[in-house]
Amino acid sequence: VEWMKEENYMFRLSIFRSRLLDWLVKNPGAVQPERFQQAVVQWLQEDLPDLSVSRQRSRLQWGVPVPGDPEQTIYVWLDALVNYLTVVGYPEIHEQWWSAAHHVIGKDILKFHAIYWPAFLLGVGLPLPKVIHVHSHWTVEGRKMSKSLGNVVDPVEHSQMFTNDGMRYFLLRQGVPDSDCDYTHDKVIKLLNTELADSLGGLLNRCTAPALNPAQVYPAFCSQAFPRDQRGRAVAEDYQMVAAVRSLPTVVEKHYETIHVYKALEAISACVRQTNRFIQRHAPWKLDRRDSKDRRWLDAIIHVSLECLRIYGTLLQPVVPEISNRLLTRLGVQPHERSWKNLDFLQRYHGTDCPFEGRLLGLDSRLLFSRLEGQNGDKQKPKKSKKPACLK
């Protein structure tokens, strides 16, 4: 070891320790998830040494020079963090953006963003970020990604294998912010085949199949067949499904806002399974369209199922935009009808008009998501389910 000594500019980090602690105590959700906020609080319980924010120009020539002192170069974390202000137009127009700043960071750079950066902002009198969202890392087959191991996942290559939407769905469905998550080909294939191809795609195929929907329309809802007083052909599980889907936007919004996207997708997937069970339970392919009661009940089943699909497609837009667009287009939902304000579910059931009732479905009948092949080249077999028979 060779001891060296040099002069640098220092930031008096130590004088901000109490103010940083006060900020975290008064804002319990400032760093999320909670365990990362607790880690920052623990660091602040200890001595906080002052921070060197420059290096000698002679040994660090590629950085930004210290203003007024060309012999010193600004330390990389100081100039890098200030870019958050630069990008929002500091100092002329940053206020409109900075007042709502949220950071999304990896757990390995938590100290820089939750201690150094807030201290810098306090030093110049600028507001602190609203929230610092922290995510954990991805491992591959239980091991840390490493160039030496050769197990680094190329996101572009894997997006070509599983589609952009497929990769987005897997990462957001399995990505838990609190702890590291594991990535394997088999897990990706199994999840996407189960939830996108079979569950969501299968539900759409059933509801739009010519055998069940020969007119290819958003059929009429019948309040006599599916009454609110639960005296019709619908059973208790059907009403539970309707209640779950009606409350789904509120649940999903909460999880999107807190960056717990996996919880939002869990809730959507659970409702998709409920809707598939609804179809399977009543077996609309067994109904006789020539019988007026059967026909009204059949139309009510399809109407309810299409309404569920419309809600799922709208809520999934931030996660799988291409799949959502294809699903909503197939349902005949126009682009201006896909926002949060259009999430009124099953309006006819609640006594108001449904703008989609009687509307022609879209013409694109391609698979919503094609099943993926495993590494051995074989497609995973979907679970057996009763196929709709031709209606009488």
Side-chain angles (χ1 to χ4, degrees):
V1 175
E2 180 182 354
W3 291 101
M4 300 181 67
K5 184 179 180 180
E6 66 180 41
E7 288 189 350
N8 298 139
Y9 286 94
M10 303 292 291
F11 177 78
R12 294 188 64 188
L13 187 63
S14 57
I15 67 172
F16 294 99
R17 186 168 74 91
S18 61
R19 293 177 65 183
L20 290 173
L21 270 171
D22 186 59
W23 165 56
L24 293 174
V25 169
K26 291 180 179 179
N27 297 275
V31 180
Q32 299 179 10
E34 183 182 357
R35 80 178 188 91
F36 292 112
Q37 174 139 335
Q38 295 303 319
V40 179
V41 170
Q42 184 62 41
W43 288 331
L44 292 172
Q45 301 289 350
E46 304 166 1
D47 289 338
L48 199 61
D50 292 337
L51 183 67
S52 171
V53 292
S54 74
R55 298 290 186 269
Q56 289 283 353
R57 187 72 175 173
S58 59
R59 68 183 186 89
L60 187 60
Q61 300 178 5
W62 53 265
V64 178
V66 170
D69 190 345
E71 298 303 315
Q72 293 281 321
T73 301
I74 295 174
Y75 169 57
V76 64
W77 273 107
L78 176 59
D79 65 12
L81 291 164
V82 169
N83 279 321
Y84 290 129
L85 289 172
T86 305
V87 77
V88 294
Y90 181 84
E92 289 84 9
I93 59 170
H94 69 286
E95 290 94 345
Q96 60 176 317
W97 301 104
W98 196 248
S99 61
H102 286 57
H103 290 323
V104 181
I105 65 167
K107 66 177 185 179
D108 54 329
I109 51 175
L110 176 60
K111 180 175 287 188
F112 301 100
H113 285 79
I115 294 182
Y116 299 168
W117 178 227
F120 295 160
L121 292 170
L122 288 172
V124 292
L126 287 171
L128 302 189
K130 294 293 183 184
V131 183
I132 300 173
H133 299 281
V134 188
H135 64 78
S136 296
H137 293 166
W138 283 94
T139 58
V140 176
E141 297 182 346
R143 306 177 73 181
K144 184 178 179 180
M145 288 193 210
S146 165
K147 290 182 179 180
S148 59
L149 292 175
N151 65 344
V152 176
V153 174
D154 183 333
V156 175
E157 177 187 333
H158 286 236
S159 292
Q160 293 170 348
M161 292 168 57
F162 304 127
T163 75
N164 289 338
D165 273 14
M167 277 295 290
R168 289 167 64 114
Y169 188 84
F170 176 81
L171 294 175
L172 291 168
R173 178 74 168 89
Q174 295 290 301
V176 181
D178 303 71
S179 57
D180 291 348
C181 308
D182 198 46
Y183 183 96
T184 69
H185 275 73
D186 288 343
K187 285 176 67 174
V188 178
I189 292 169
K190 183 177 180 180
L191 178 73
L192 299 185
N193 283 346
T194 299
E195 297 195 358
L196 293 185
D198 297 342
S199 192
L200 186 64
L203 178 61
L204 178 65
N205 290 344
R206 279 176 155 181
C207 298
T208 58
L212 292 184
N213 194 342
Q216 291 292 284
V217 297
Y218 218 96
F221 179 82
C222 178
S223 56
Q224 288 77 34
F226 205 126
R228 296 187 66 182
D229 62 11
Q230 303 190 23
R231 293 182 181 179
R233 296 171 75 165
V235 298
E237 292 86 351
D238 304 334
Y239 291 96
Q240 292 168 7
M241 178 197 71
V242 168
V245 178
R246 186 169 179 78
S247 64
L248 187 61
T250 301
V251 173
V252 169
E253 181 179 23
K254 172 189 173 184
H255 294 318
Y256 278 171
E257 288 291 337
T258 56
I259 318 296
H260 285 89
V261 182
Y262 76 100
K263 290 184 178 180
L265 297 182
E266 280 179 359
I268 295 171
S269 183
C271 284
V272 173
R273 291 194 298 271
Q274 281 185 286
T275 311
N276 271 307
R277 288 196 295 269
F278 168 65
I279 293 279
Q280 191 69 29
R281 184 161 53 244
H282 295 294
W285 50 87
K286 292 183 178 179
L287 298 173
D288 186 351
R289 190 172 282 278
R290 294 172 298 182
D291 180 275
S292 60
K293 291 184 178 179
D294 269 10
R295 185 175 65 252
R296 288 196 296 270
W297 177 230
L298 172 61
D299 286 347
I301 292 172
I302 301 302
H303 181 97
V304 171
S305 301
L306 292 182
E307 275 291 275
C308 290
L309 279 165
R310 181 176 65 84
I311 299 299
Y312 306 150
T314 304
L315 294 176
L316 284 169
Q317 287 177 108
V319 178
V320 283
E322 295 176 17
I323 288 174
S324 293
N325 176 59
R326 196 176 308 146
L327 188 158
L328 294 171
T329 300
R330 180 69 172 115
L331 299 184
V333 180
Q334 300 303 310
H336 67 276
E337 299 171 317
R338 303 177 182 185
S339 68
W340 212 266
K341 66 181 181 181
N342 301 115
L343 284 172
D344 285 340
F345 171 63
L346 208 54
Q347 290 161 283
R348 292 276 279 107
Y349 174 78
H350 295 281
T352 58
D353 292 335
C354 173
F356 307 102
E357 193 172 83
R359 186 180 296 186
L360 285 173
L361 299 180
L363 298 176
D364 189 352
S365 59
R366 292 176 298 168
L367 290 175
L368 190 65
F369 187 84
S370 298
R371 288 184 60 79
L372 299 166
E373 295 185 358
Q375 288 182 305
N376 59 4
D378 297 326
K379 286 191 177 182
Q380 291 190 354
K381 294 181 180 179
K383 293 180 179 178
K384 290 184 178 180
S385 61
K386 193 170 290 186
K387 294 182 179 179
C390 293
L391 295 175
K392 296 178 181 178

